[in-house]
């Protein structure tokens, strides 16, 4: 597999006399030719004119080894072969299985929502989902099939699922030639680039993920494309502000924006590209031939391309998202009223503007979007409580959300001159209209907390009892609408934002956002909290009505102002951030970051008689890439220590190339891996895929370093051995990648680690490895006709939803999709729950 590089030797070195631009400004001048390189500059010593200078003083490295890559005929031929192989690997038996798999329950459903223009909420940005919707539309999908559970039959429902799976498969295949091009742009020879492409091509985890209607394949594709464009940008550093220079720089920003528009994991490209850019600009300061004005031009160009362009792309895709999802849906309840009124079919809230004593009001939690202050005729049942009437937050408007504004205990209001408005600082009581009890607080702990600064809120009162001072609350208006006169001094519907302060306990009515137990109908807890921040203790009146307003007299009205596009994007992204933080569950296949690089376990996606899909990477590639990262860290530390003693190892002439290239991708791996340790949310192995690709690049660079001084034949033998080993591992685990039929013995032999929880009972020879007998006709109750009971087969959707029915072609049903509606699990079925990234939308 030893091939020559265009105008370079087999190790990626440029021949003597060949000009190469420097990634560092040291030794490079922009407006002239690159400084001449004298004989012997490339071996064995380093030079200031090398593409990746590592100075003893700074020990900094440039982002890649940026030799000018001129695409040769051999490159094109190899790219063609690699691309064809990648398409075959990704698209082989793409129709298998013909059932909903894993998170296709979410992202297939979302594609249907786009096609029906029905608003929905998801914790991920929209681009990848819109791509699935576009492909579905082209393939004839009508958006009716709801993808509601793992295992549902695509063929029976006439869903063009193969076309929808083809899109991520082709994107996954495209990452293979993109890997080849990235390695070549970093100055490496064709054999190393081909090896890196092969490692990406036969990585079982990436293959599995790219064959399904999932977001990770578009994410990885745009991430790889971003780093390819960035590497190509560095190959034209001797031609600043030329067309090709601008093209690669702008392409980097464009693809980075697209990656961030698929999943937020792509935000880790910001420190990756950002640190590289800062290092470059810092080095340019040392270039005395570069005037301040010229340096400012470099700074401005990068700011435009790497900040403005990605932001514009991100905003642009969200604008398309909201333009398509124009009709209100069930998920719209999670949004602010100002957002909801922008959707077709949403209720346009128009209410009396002024709030008077005697007004009937409905209060909404302003910032949490959890719903309305609510009470019902059920007592608190927790051990710490009073047993008085529950006061909660409820997401939907109903009669139990209505409160009547009354004067404070033992106080009266003179209404002889007309209705009296509620003003800032007034002390009042709120009487629950349905039950007649007053909003009340006292020295009792709330249901969900033992904090001494939190107190229970209840409804208190009974017949012939006028209440007590613990019913009193003060209205503190925090802000009003600057365009509405008096909204900061008098309580007005919609426009005034206020807090309710208990006059005895000095606590504020506070939305804890905690879900109460079933005895409180799993509504949201509200309590009275001291020293709380305004965000969760701010309220506004959404509806107000006074029964004594004079008929026909003009009444000032209030309504929500629709949000503009930027306001909608801002609110939606804040909700995405809150929802991501709240994705804390107990999914059986969740995995923490410390377990990812050494492939402690995979993720079960689907199971059928004799076959299953278990997302498990190619272990030789995962372990080899982890070892390569360790080798780079060790080499870098050793070189650092030796350089301090003025001992400068050349690593067989590969020092600059290896330290710069592997260093950049090791930095990228760090930026895409380490931040996950700071996340408390539920995580899965597939979150590691972008970092895995970067580790694979380091692995290819490390193999090149180890073999750079070997004889040509021996070097080729090492490359062939590595390729053969990973191909053998790929074939071994292809059964769980492609849902191929295999035996229980083969499954057990594939458990290289005891932590790999493959369900070998699905294989032939296991308890679930054979097709169950044909079910008897399913009967439903029906009225006898002519005295004879009729056996009426259930409709297809009724059968598929019957928890006692096991379809013969699949056995996976969701255990709990985050909605709390758990399905009964048949004895012969091992249910595999879907990833709960969509759990937040079900809880809002």
């Amino acid at each position: 597999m030893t091939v020559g590089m265009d105008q370079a030797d087999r190790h990626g070195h440029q021949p003597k006399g060949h000009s190469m631009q420097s990634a560092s400004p040291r030794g490079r001048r922009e407006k002239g030719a690159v400084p001449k390189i004298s004989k012997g500059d490339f071996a064995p010593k380093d030079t200031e004119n090398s593409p990746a200078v590592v100075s003893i003083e700074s020990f900094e490295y440039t982002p890649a080894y940026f030799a000018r890559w001129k695409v040769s005929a051999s490159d094109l031929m190899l790219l063609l072969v690699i691309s064809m192989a990648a398409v075959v690997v990704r698209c082989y038996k793409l129709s298998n299985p013909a059932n909903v798999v894993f998170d296709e329950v979410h992202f297939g459903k979302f594609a249907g929502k786009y096609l029906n223009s029905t608003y929905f909420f998801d914790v991920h940005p929209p681009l990848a989902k819109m791509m699935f919707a576009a492909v579905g539309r082209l393939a004839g999908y009508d958006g009716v099939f709801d993808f509601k559970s793992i295992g549902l039959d695509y063929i029976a429902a006439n869903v063009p699922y193969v076309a929808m799976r083809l899109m991520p498969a082709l994107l996954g295949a495209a990452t293979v030639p993109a890997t080849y091009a990235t390695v070549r742009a970093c100055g490496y020879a064709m054999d190393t680039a081909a090896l890196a492409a092969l490692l990406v091509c036969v990585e079982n985890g990436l293959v599995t993920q790219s064959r399904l209607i999932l977001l990770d394949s578009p994410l990885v594709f745009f991430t790889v494309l971003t780093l390819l464009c960035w590497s190509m940008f560095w190959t034209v550093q001797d031609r600043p502000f030329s067309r090709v220079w601008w093209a690669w720089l702008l392409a980097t920003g464009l693809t980075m924006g697209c990656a961030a528009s698929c999943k937020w994991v792509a935000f880790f490209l910001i420190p990756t590209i950002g640190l590289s850019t800062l290092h470059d600009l810092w080095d340019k300061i040392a270039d005395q031939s570069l005037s301040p004005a010229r340096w400012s031009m470099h700074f401005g160009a990068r700011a435009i391309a790497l900040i403005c362009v990605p932001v514009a792309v991100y905003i642009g895709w969200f604008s398309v998202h909201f333009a398509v999802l124009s009709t209100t849906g069930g998920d719209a309840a999670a949004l602010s009223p100002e957002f909801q009124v922008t959707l077709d079919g949403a209720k346009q809230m128009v209410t009396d503007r002024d709030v008077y004593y005697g007004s009937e009001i409905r209060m909404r939690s302003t910032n949490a979007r959890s719903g309305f202050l609510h009470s019902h005729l059920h007592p608190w049942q927790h051990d710490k409580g009073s047993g008085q009437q529950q006061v909660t937050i409820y997401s939907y408007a109903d009669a139990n959300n209505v409160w009547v504004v009354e004067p404070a205990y033992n106080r009266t209001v003179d209404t002889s001159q007309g209705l009296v408005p509620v003003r800032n600082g007034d002390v009042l009581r709120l009487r629950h209209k349905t039950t007649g009890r007053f909003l009340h607080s006292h020295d009792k702990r709330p249901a969900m907390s033992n904090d001494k600064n939190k107190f229970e809120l209840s409804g208190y009162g009974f017949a012939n009892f006028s209440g007590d001072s613990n019913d009193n609350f003060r209205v503190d208006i925090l802000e009003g609408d600057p365009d509405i006169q008096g909204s900061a001094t008098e309580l007005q519907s919609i426009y005034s934002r206020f807090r309710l302060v208990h006059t005895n306990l000095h606590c504020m009515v506070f939305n804890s956002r905690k879900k109460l137990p079933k005895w409180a109908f799993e509504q949201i807890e509200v309590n009275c909290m001291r020293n709380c921040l305004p965000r969760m203790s701010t309220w506004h009146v959404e509806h107000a009505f006074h029964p004594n307003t004079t008929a026909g007299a003009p009444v000032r009205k209030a309504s929500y102002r629709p949000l503009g596009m930027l306001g909608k994007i801002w609110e939606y992204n804040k909700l995405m951030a809150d929802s991501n933080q709240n994705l804390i569950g107990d999914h059986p296949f969740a995995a923490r970051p410390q377990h990812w690089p050494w492939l402690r376990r995979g993720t079960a996606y689907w199971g059928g008689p004799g076959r299953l899909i278990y997302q498990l990477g190619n272990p030789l590639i995962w372990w080899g890439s982890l070892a390569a990262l360790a080798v780079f860290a060790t080499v870098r530390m050793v070189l650092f220590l030796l350089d301090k003693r003025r001992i400068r190892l050349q690593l067989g002439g590969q020092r600059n190339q290896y330290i710069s290239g592997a260093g950049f991708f090791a930095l990228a791996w760090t930026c895409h891996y380490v931040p996950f340790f700071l996340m408390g949310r539920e995580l899965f192995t597939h979150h590691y895929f972008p970092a895995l690709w970067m580790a694979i690049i380091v692995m290819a660079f490390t193999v090149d370093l180890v073999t750079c001084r070997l004889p040509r034949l021996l070097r080729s033998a090492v490359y062939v051995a590595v390729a053969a080993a990973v191909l053998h591992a790929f074939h071994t685990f292809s059964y769980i990648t492609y849902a191929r039929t295999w035996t229980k013995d083969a499954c057990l032999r594939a458990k290289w680690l005891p932590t790999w929880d493959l369900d070998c009972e699905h294989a032939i020879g296991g308890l679930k490895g054979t097709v169950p007998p044909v079910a008897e006709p399913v009967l439903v109750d029906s009225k006898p006709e002519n005295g004879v009971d009729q056996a009426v087969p259930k409709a297809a959707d009724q059968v598929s939803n019957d928890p006692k029915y096991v379809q013969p072609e699949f056995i996976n049903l969701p255990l709990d999709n985050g909605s709390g509606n758990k399905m009964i699990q048949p004895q012969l079925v091992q249910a595999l729950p879907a990833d709960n990234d969509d759990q937040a939308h079900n809880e809002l």
Side-chain angles (χ1 to χ4, degrees), residues 459-474:
Y460 182 58
F462 45 87
N464 300 319
F465 176 69
S466 60
D468 61 31
S469 62
N470 279 332
D471 302 336
N472 290 345
F473 290 84
R474 186 180 69 249

Side-chain angles (χ1 to χ4, degrees), residues 482-776:
D483 296 330
I484 304 299
Q485 185 177 4
S487 59
T489 57
E490 294 184 355
L491 186 60
Q492 296 183 1
S493 298
I494 296 177
Y495 304 131
S496 300
R497 300 294 190 261
F498 64 93
R499 304 169 87 178
L500 288 177
V501 183
H502 194 265
T503 56
N504 290 345
L505 297 174
H506 306 291
C507 57
M508 279 68 74
V509 178
F510 177 78
N511 179 359
S512 74
R513 296 187 294 173
K514 295 179 180 178
K515 184 183 291 186
L516 290 162
K518 290 184 181 296
W519 50 258
F521 309 101
E522 296 185 329
Q523 295 176 8
I524 304 301
E525 183 199 42
V526 60
N527 57 49
C528 198
M529 181 180 177
R530 288 174 179 163
N531 305 319
C532 60
L533 296 176
R535 182 168 181 259
M536 288 301 123
S537 60
T538 300
W539 301 81
H540 68 271
V541 174
E542 181 173 277
H543 171 79
F545 168 74
H546 198 290
N548 293 336
T549 51
T550 304
V555 177
R556 295 188 297 182
K557 297 294 183 178
S559 60
Y560 289 110
R561 295 180 178 178
L563 286 177
M565 183 59 68
L566 292 179
K568 293 170 66 174
I569 294 172
W570 177 253
E571 178 177 325
Y572 193 95
N573 278 263
K574 288 199 299 181
L575 185 57
M576 287 167 57
D578 289 342
S579 301
N580 269 294
Q581 290 178 355
N582 293 328
L583 285 175
I584 300 174
D586 55 353
H587 195 285
F589 290 98
R592 294 303 300 170
Q594 62 268 25
H595 299 147
W596 299 344
W598 60 281
L599 200 60
R600 180 179 180 271
R601 67 185 307 210
T603 307
Y605 278 8
W606 177 89
R611 56 207 177 108
L612 70 152
I613 297 179
Y614 184 88
Q615 184 267 304
L616 184 73
N618 188 318
L620 296 185
I621 295 176
W622 286 57
W623 299 337
S625 61
L626 179 61
L629 290 166
V631 168
F632 170 77
T634 302
V635 169
R636 194 68 187 87
M637 181 59 66
V638 169
L639 291 178
F640 176 82
L641 295 175
L642 291 178
D643 283 345
K644 282 295 185 182
R645 298 186 62 83
R646 304 294 176 177
I647 301 173
R648 196 167 176 81
L649 295 183
Q650 304 305 318
L651 302 180
Q654 297 294 297
R655 173 178 174 137
N656 288 345
Q657 186 176 26
Y658 178 70
I659 293 301
S660 61
F664 173 70
F665 285 99
L667 170 67
W669 176 86
T670 302
C671 292
H672 283 76
Y673 174 59
V674 173
F676 284 107
F677 286 93
L678 305 177
M679 298 183 187
R681 60 153 291 180
E682 200 167 49
L683 298 170
F684 295 85
T685 306
H686 61 253
H687 288 110
Y688 184 65
F689 283 153
L692 172 66
W693 180 83
M694 298 155 196
I696 289 174
I697 301 297
V698 177
M699 179 180 174
F701 291 173
T702 302
V703 173
D704 178 89
L705 176 70
V706 172
T707 61
C708 65
R709 289 306 175 188
L710 294 178
R712 183 185 297 267
L713 186 61
L714 185 55
R715 171 183 166 96
S716 299
V718 172
Y719 275 59
V720 170
V722 173
V726 297
L727 284 169
H728 172 72
F730 173 75
H731 177 266
T732 299
F733 298 100
S734 64
Y735 294 91
I736 56 177
T737 299
Y738 297 108
R740 297 171 59 195
T741 301
W742 65 345
T743 65
K744 183 177 180 180
D745 290 340
C747 177
L748 292 173
R749 288 195 301 270
K751 287 190 174 183
W752 292 5
L753 292 181
T755 53
W756 292 355
D757 43 5
L758 295 167
D759 184 6
C760 293
E761 295 302 327
H762 283 295
I764 298 298
L767 291 177
K768 308 164 190 174
T770 56
V771 178
V774 178
E776 295 294 329

Side-chain angles (χ1 to χ4, degrees), residues 3-5 9-12 180 183-184 187-194 657 704 715:
V3 291
M5 181 178 177
D9 67 18
R10 66 184 180 90
H11 302 312
Y180 177 91
V183 175
R184 291 287 278 147
Y188 281 84
M190 294 173 65
D191 54 359
T192 302
Q657 186 176 26
D704 178 89
R715 171 183 166 96

Side-chain angles (χ1 to χ4, degrees), residues 419-476:
L419 301 180
V420 178
V422 177
R423 294 182 171 85
N424 184 32
D426 280 5
V427 177
L428 49 73
R429 293 186 295 175
L430 294 177
R431 176 172 55 83
H432 191 241
K433 182 180 179 181
T434 304
T435 64
R437 292 180 169 89
F438 289 102
L439 182 67
H440 181 92
S441 189
H442 43 218
D443 193 10
K444 294 284 187 180
R445 298 284 81 78
M448 308 301 290
S449 176
N450 291 315
D451 191 333
K452 65 180 181 180
N453 289 314
K454 294 181 180 180
F455 305 92
E456 179 188 79
L457 275 180
S458 65
Y460 182 58
F462 45 87
N464 300 319
F465 176 69
S466 60
D468 61 31
S469 62
N470 279 332
D471 302 336
N472 290 345
F473 290 84
R474 186 180 69 249
V475 176
D476 286 352

